[in-house]
Amino acid sequence: MKVLKGQDVLALGFMTFALFVGAGNIIFPPIVGLQSGPHVWMAALGFLITAVGLPVITVVALAKVGGAMDTLSHPIGKVAGGLLAAVCYLSVGPLFATPRTATVSFEVGLAPLTGEGALPLFLYSLVYFAVVLVISLYPGKLLDTVGRFLAPLKIIALAALGIAAFMLPAGPIGVAEPAYQAAAFSQGFVNGYLTMDTLGALVFGIVIVNAIRSRGVDSPRLITRYAIIAGLIAGVGLALVYISLFRLGSGSHDIAAGAANGAAVLHAYVQHTFGSLGSTFLAVLIALACLVTAVGLTCACAEYFCRILPLSYRSLVVILAGFSLLVSNLGLTKLIQFSIPVLTAIYPPCIVLVALSFCASLWRSQTRIVAPVMVISFVFGLIDALKGAKLDAWMPAWMEHLPLAEQGLAWLIPSVVMLAVMVVIDRLLGKPQEAMA
């Protein structure tokens, strides 16, 4: 029976970590650290639950079913499961996330040096997606190109930034903003949920499993074990990165007070700590982080769609890279405006799907439980999405005052209530074959 060597398992963990850590993961925690002040670690705890815990759990859930999202979603039926998978892959792939890796890395890393404009962005994205295309054409070598080369470079850069955050703080911790004074844990929890890493985990599951299979491992038990180990390594790495970036942000009050986003905090800290080399260092770090994530998303989307479309993997890689190149030139602001409502709507049912997959043995029928709860989570998630898109003027007043609505979690309580109701119905009806007899 073929098994992975220790160094291969470590490389797999590094690859999984590198796939997750994009620019958004790097620029988001510093602003939370800055705004939470002395409550930074309570906010960090909430953030880590949703930005680390949920993605790792999702990787484990996918590993148990062989890595494919449509296998995980079989309780809701082939059509609905396929539609959900396609929407997730497109959302975190060529429509939003993959193009955003290019625009974020450009605006955070290069725009301060080259100036913002259509031509610099186009030239940068052209080179960027050419590199993504070349690496993505050889998915069997992903463990070597990402796990052994790009991921270690990314980790070294992040480690340097993390060590500096603790050893060379820019100043004392500032005053917390009112929202964090009132509920630091809740604010951190919601901000971590909005990173959308769980959707990324749903997409990366097949990439991780295929990387294991590329080494000749075909035992489902071993594939699951290695994927779980990779997910745990990635989770530890993510936690360390977030903790160091929270510390960086919390100590940057003197140099970045009033910063509008994490990119401004990072710029201020890197310039303050590393001097004239700061902008170059940050540009390389962000570009590397985004590139690895873009490769992972492109490979995952091509792997998925080549199974349901009459197109080869390589043809799809070319199409996806080209489409992402075009979309990226819309600019970061428009991409974010378009993506937030869509992602806000589809995130809740994905969380429900993953969470309930661990309880499959408890139900008489998975379909009876999973499908209704996912529908409810989607409906109430759609309310949050419409509010985010400023399309809520027609909504009745009671929708504005749903429990947890202000935190973007209006779907949570209705989903739990529906779960309780369906569990009772499931018990009463018994097993499907018994009901039919």
Side-chain angles (χ1 to χ4, degrees):
M1 184 182 296
K2 183 72 173 178
V3 297
L4 293 183
K5 298 177 182 178
Q7 62 184 19
D8 285 332
V9 175
L10 193 60
L12 181 70
F14 284 171
M15 183 197 80
T16 305
F17 166 76
L19 290 174
F20 276 112
V21 182
N25 305 83
I26 296 173
I27 67 174
F28 202 72
I31 192 67
V32 177
L34 180 72
Q35 294 176 348
S36 57
H39 306 291
V40 59
W41 299 120
M42 185 56 69
L45 178 60
F47 188 95
L48 291 174
I49 289 173
T50 46
V52 177
L54 276 176
V56 171
I57 290 172
T58 302
V59 170
V60 173
L62 282 166
K64 289 173 60 181
V65 298
M69 183 182 170
D70 48 1
T71 306
L72 187 69
S73 63
H74 78 89
I76 63 174
K78 188 173 182 180
V79 174
L83 182 61
L84 178 66
V87 169
C88 286
Y89 274 96
L90 288 172
S91 296
V92 298
L95 290 181
F96 303 129
T98 306
R100 193 169 63 186
T101 62
T103 56
V104 168
S105 60
F106 170 75
E107 294 199 14
V108 174
L110 283 187
L113 306 176
T114 64
E116 294 189 20
L119 182 60
L121 174 59
F122 174 75
L123 294 176
Y124 173 81
S125 59
L126 187 63
V127 174
Y128 179 92
F129 282 110
V131 176
V132 169
L133 172 64
V134 171
I135 298 175
S136 300
L137 284 173
Y138 303 97
K141 297 182 178 180
L142 203 61
L143 192 56
D144 293 318
T145 55
V146 174
R148 297 182 185 277
F149 178 65
L150 291 177
L153 287 177
K154 188 173 180 176
I155 290 168
I156 290 170
L158 288 169
L161 191 61
I163 292 170
F166 280 96
M167 301 298 293
L168 302 169
I173 294 176
V175 178
E177 292 197 352
Y180 286 95
Q181 292 177 10
F185 178 85
S186 175
Q187 286 294 315
F189 185 92
V190 173
N191 283 324
Y193 154 68
L194 293 176
T195 61
M196 304 297 174
D197 275 345
T198 298
L199 291 184
L202 285 169
V203 169
F204 290 141
I206 193 66
V207 176
I208 297 165
V209 169
N210 284 342
I212 298 171
R213 287 174 176 155
S214 73
R215 285 295 190 268
V217 178
D218 53 14
S219 165
R221 181 177 58 84
L222 286 178
I223 290 173
T224 300
R225 180 194 299 176
Y226 292 140
I228 290 173
I229 293 172
L232 292 174
I233 292 173
V236 171
L238 282 170
L240 291 175
V241 168
Y242 289 144
I243 289 169
S244 64
L245 292 175
F246 277 120
R247 180 66 185 91
L248 183 153
S250 67
S252 298
H253 183 76
D254 287 351
I255 61 172
N261 54 57
V265 179
L266 266 178
H267 273 301
Y269 178 83
V270 171
Q271 290 287 353
H272 175 270
T273 306
F274 297 100
S276 59
L277 294 177
S279 293
T280 303
F281 172 80
L282 188 61
V284 172
L285 171 60
I286 296 297
L288 192 58
C290 288
L291 183 67
V292 175
T293 302
V295 168
L297 291 170
T298 302
C299 289
C301 289
E303 291 275 4
Y304 176 76
F305 285 109
C306 75
R307 291 190 286 115
I308 62 174
L309 295 175
L311 293 170
S312 68
Y313 171 85
R314 290 197 163 196
S315 298
L316 282 165
V317 166
V318 174
I319 293 170
L320 290 168
F323 188 81
S324 298
L325 167 64
L326 294 176
V327 175
S328 68
N329 281 269
L330 292 174
L332 182 59
T333 302
K334 287 184 179 179
L335 276 176
I336 292 175
Q337 288 175 346
F338 292 144
S339 66
I340 288 178
V342 176
L343 296 175
T344 302
I346 65 175
Y347 204 78
C350 290
I351 293 178
V352 168
L353 178 64
V354 171
L356 295 184
S357 72
F358 290 95
C359 309
S361 61
L362 301 177
W363 327 126
R364 300 286 201 276
S365 167
Q366 279 186 274
T367 301
R368 287 187 199 137
I369 302 293
V370 177
V373 179
M374 285 184 67
V375 168
I376 289 297
S377 67
F378 174 71
V379 169
F380 283 87
L382 198 58
I383 293 173
D384 287 330
L386 292 172
K387 287 167 62 178
K390 309 298 183 186
L391 298 174
D392 56 338
W394 57 271
M395 287 184 182
W398 64 268
M399 285 189 178
E400 298 288 336
H401 300 94
L402 289 168
L404 302 180
E406 291 185 3
Q407 287 79 25
L409 294 169
W411 60 272
L412 186 57
I413 293 178
S415 299
V416 172
V417 171
M418 176 57 76
L419 174 61
V421 171
M422 296 314 299
V423 167
V424 173
I425 293 175
D426 181 61
R427 291 289 176 180
L428 292 174
L429 292 178
K431 292 184 179 180
Q433 58 265 34
E434 295 175 353
M436 292 170 60

